[in-house]
Amino acid sequence: MLSGMSGWWQGERWCERHIDRIFLERYGPWARHWNWTVGEAGGVVGSWCCGPASVSTPDETARRAVAALLEWRDWLEELAVRFGELAPPAKAAPEERSWHLERAAVRLVTLVLDRTGAESGWYGQCRLALEWFLTSTGMDRAAADAAVEAAIGGRFRSWAAPGPTLIDSVGEDLAVGLTGRQPYRDHREHAHLEEFHDRRHTRH
């Protein structure tokens, strides 16, 4: 039953929490953050806003929730593809690994910016994407979290899109922090990768 503002939206918030439990029980951990919305939580989901704004009739509420879950799933699948493209080669030398990590960080931060519009809390989505990328390369979650924290260091803010210089700096700090080496600087050797990822970026 809808409670409205007079009930401080208790019914609507309860409904959202109930949907969250259902999704997690039925689909597993990947469904977490299905309601991490653009603007409200710095997320990428546009089909849902929050309990008070999105809960209405049972049918309409279910439609919005399912659409939001599918949006979140699409985002996870897009990230998985990007992670595979950006991962350093298994036997990369330290300088080359550093280069790949720097490029990955720059492109993932830019991707998150494009999807969130740098609205409230967008950097939380950014941190999570970078952590997931590092764990996809075999890093322990705690170590990935520490590496991302050291690289970003509170330099990102809500409602403020960082410029290219700051994004590049975060990418380099992450790479150097993990490898102890500056990224490989002779970009001619990696020109094909630069062009490939630049083409990917312009299509999104």
Side-chain angles (χ1 to χ4, degrees):
M1 178 180 296
L2 299 178
S3 58
M5 184 176 292
S6 61
W8 291 102
W9 310 105
Q10 291 178 344
E12 290 82 354
R13 296 186 191 282
W14 175 88
C15 182
E16 184 176 36
R17 291 194 298 271
H18 186 63
I19 294 170
D20 188 54
R21 287 194 296 271
I22 291 173
F23 282 165
L24 287 173
E25 290 173 1
R26 180 168 298 181
Y27 301 112
W30 72 262
R32 193 177 305 277
H33 305 312
W34 65 274
N35 56 347
W36 203 350
T37 61
V38 176
E40 287 291 321
V44 298
V45 173
S47 300
W48 187 271
C49 178
C50 58
S54 299
V55 172
S56 57
T57 65
D59 287 346
E60 181 62 19
T61 301
R63 185 194 67 77
R64 290 174 179 168
V66 170
L69 182 66
L70 292 175
E71 273 193 89
W72 179 246
R73 179 70 184 193
D74 286 344
W75 170 244
L76 295 181
E77 291 179 354
E78 180 178 358
L79 285 179
V81 172
R82 292 299 186 93
F83 292 170
E85 294 169 350
L86 294 167
K91 296 182 179 180
E95 291 84 358
E96 184 180 9
R97 178 175 174 79
S98 185
W99 183 88
H100 279 276
L101 290 172
E102 180 194 35
R103 293 294 88 194
V106 168
R107 280 159 175 75
L108 290 172
V109 170
T110 303
L111 178 64
V112 171
L113 273 172
D114 289 346
R115 291 292 296 269
T116 63
E119 296 196 21
S120 178
W122 72 273
Y123 49 83
Q125 185 71 241
C126 181
R127 288 180 57 97
L128 194 57
L130 292 175
E131 289 169 14
W132 283 346
F133 169 70
L134 294 177
T135 58
S136 76
T137 67
M139 185 176 295
D140 174 80
R141 181 63 183 271
D145 179 73
V148 173
E149 171 61 25
I152 293 178
R155 291 188 282 178
F156 292 158
R157 296 283 186 269
S158 292
W159 311 107
T165 300
L166 177 54
I167 296 174
D168 287 344
S169 177
V170 167
E172 183 169 322
D173 288 349
L174 181 68
V176 173
L178 290 172
T179 66
R181 304 291 186 88
Q182 289 289 331
Y184 190 81
R185 292 304 179 188
D186 187 355
H187 289 267
R188 290 172 298 177
E189 181 175 329
H190 302 289
H192 64 292
L193 288 174
E194 289 278 6
E195 292 171 2
F196 172 75
H197 291 303
D198 287 343
R199 287 198 302 272
R200 291 280 302 181
H201 174 66
T202 57
R203 291 204 300 268
H204 288 78

